[in-house]
Amino acid sequence: MEGPPLARDPATPAERAGRRSRLRTRLAEIPGLHPAPRGLLEERGRLTVEEALGFWPKAWQDRTRPTPIAALRAGAEGLVVGTVTHARAQRMRSGKPLLKVGLQDAGGRLELVFFNPAPWRMRQFAAGDPLLASGKVTEGFGGKLQMAQPEVEKVQPGDSASFGRIVPVYAGPADWQHPALRKLLKRLCDEYAPWTVDDLPAEVRRRRGLLPAGEALRQAHFPPAGTDLAAAAARATPAFRRLVFEEFFFLQLALAQRRRGVRREPGIAFDLSPERRRQAVSHLPFALTGAQRRVLGEIAADMARAEPMNRLLQGDVGSGKTAVAFVALMLAVQSGWQGALMAPTEILAEQHLRTLRRWLEGSGIEVTLVAAQARGRAQREAREAVASGRARIAVGTHALLEEEVAFDRLGLVVVDEQHRFGVLQRARLISKGVRPDVLVMTATPIPRTLALAFYGDLDQSKIDELPPGRSPVTTRLFGDSQRRKAHEIVRRELEAGRQAYVVYPLVAESEKTDLADATTGAGELARLFAPHAVGLLHGQLKAEEKDAVMERFRAGAVRLLVATTVVEVGVDVPNATVMLVEHAERFGLSQLHQLRGRVGRGAAESHCLLVAHFRRAGDEARERLQTMVRTQDGFEIARVDLALRGPGELLGTRQSGQHLFDLADLYRDESILEEARTEAFDLVAADPDLARPEHAAAREALEQRWRGRLSLAQVG
Ligand code: ADP
Ligand code: MG
């Protein structure tokens, strides 16, 4: 093992506190730190030792063994150590400056060439300097070996930060700063890393073969000789494995504790006799699919237990989650409780309202809409109906979370989130009643890793079967200049009596331009497809205007609906068979998948037509579009989406600025996540409050890591 030995795990709280505060020493208080690299770290908000140690290298170089100059071959990369013999400034034929530096070792000579060097470079070398150079070897005039634009570093014999080992390369504004930064971090690794408190319980480390914390930190910066550099760059060395494990472990520990906390709260045991269940289902105009029946069985079992339900229901667009939610709500209502159904947008809330009212026609059970605006008589009455218990089911957006909305007897909350709710918001509704059961529905299937990482405290159900009578959707990609072909398909469908959507992207920065796009587009389409009526839906319409347009589309008076936003197209019109997306390159994969899910809801064959400006599209956009053409499988699409975008964006947490993981990568580190999860949940099962002395460090770390940050842990 390199470097000073690690101190043993501290046993007393005072010892741990001492060590933690030592790691929080401010760089500014450490005597003799080079100000340039320190400034570089401080500029990046890394003011303390701990923060500086979290500044990971971007790459590594193997400097274990330099090549003797005599053994260099033209065309290959080389690393040499020698002594400067001379430095000579010259001019190129163009008049630009050129610097040539001679380097020799025991067996040979080499010339380093710098084109157009900066002024400081001109003064960098003096004869006699020990120097390390790396770069590509070329052959100059007369077979003389050269290295053009090499990376160079002055080294002292015995300078262990930069030489004789695998050395880290840090991102910095100029390469001359790397050596100084490296030396600074080497010092922190030697003097401070060994004092890191290991937050992972020793038994977990042993079982999973993890490096101690201090050693992991040191090796993450300065990997031991023989480390595979590609593995280091892929963060696949034992050091990073330990650090990634730790990140997952503490998130899972929070989820495990939360889940356990929920379980301990008194919940509602609904009366769910088979007769009751038959009764709830009897309102539906169709028979449930096998998958719907199965997940309802899981939900009903939860609801019948006195423990609060905390369940995630996954199902692709159109898989019939609303029907499942409805039956669950009815189960609550029949037991004398109220239900709430929360949708991500007003239009979707209104659609749910309409659907539920249709299914409940003649039953005498009242469903009410809680709108965002509390003003107006209708809304005052709606809120009062909820408070008095006259309304048995309340449907709404996040308005349901408002303080003025009081329920008489809230028993079940269904959150139809479609990835739009921040995880945070869910918490509030829950605090409104005693402890209602919670069912979270997500439209885009979540890859298993993501579900484990972020919904790990929820039980999971999955609808993996579409209702009968669905037709596949053919997806086609058109270049901007081929729009006419896409329009022919639209025309054909309109003439066959079907309806169509045309969607324009919404870019927040330029809402006016987008609106202009859509308005112009709608005008052109109206001319093009006359006499078929065209309607326009955009974000700047008032709610009543939006409703009116939607209603006319639903009733078939409007044949072609032009819309600017994705959200508002979350509607269910089985006669619509074409979804044409303009500027498809600007949409995310899951958005495109959601849009496509709007068609193919009836028996007729449907079309998804993606019109893209290829020239403006980057590689990632192309990959998205090709994925859409290739597959209709929501899980496959979610998997690609995760790989392309990372989890933050997928979960909509990016806006909230939450930095979820530093090193961990859900896509790459799936198996580590599984291990960390097992350990965390086992730990909480064995020692729920982490009260045992050997878990004290973990308990402290959990508090410190997530304090004020873990809205995630507040997940419904
Ligand atoms: P999701 O919310 O999962 O996107 P919906 O609940 O909106 O899907 O269902 C899509 C359509 O399928 C709706 O028109 C719904 O009435 C219909 N549907 C749902 N379940 C069934 C079923 N078992 N049989 C027939 N049609 C169904
Ligand atoms: Mg739905």
Side-chain angles (χ1 to χ4, degrees), residues 286-289 292 316-323 467-468 470 572 601:
F286 43 72
L288 294 174
T289 63
Q292 284 171 318
D316 211 343
V317 207
S319 61
K321 292 183 295 296
T322 315
R470 293 300 166 81
D572 191 17
R601 295 190 158 220

Side-chain angles (χ1 to χ4, degrees), residues 129-141:
D129 281 349
L131 194 72
L132 176 149
S134 78
K136 186 155 178 174
V137 181
T138 52
E139 215 172 281
F141 288 119

Side-chain angles (χ1 to χ4, degrees), residues 24 154 200 315 321 382 399 414 420 545 559 691:
R24 281 196 287 266
K154 287 195 202 178
L200 286 180
K321 292 183 295 296
V414 180
R420 284 178 198 289
E545 295 171 319
R559 310 301 298 174

Side-chain angles (χ1 to χ4, degrees), residues 147-164:
M147 220 181 243
Q149 306 291 72
E151 208 178 295
V152 293
E153 206 174 309
K154 287 195 202 178
V155 287
Q156 308 301 323
D159 173 358
S160 67
S162 300
F163 184 57

Side-chain angles (χ1 to χ4, degrees), residues 324-341:
V324 170
F326 168 78
V327 175
L329 288 165
M330 287 313 295
L331 291 174
V333 169
Q334 288 167 2
S335 298
W337 295 83
Q338 285 171 296
L341 174 55

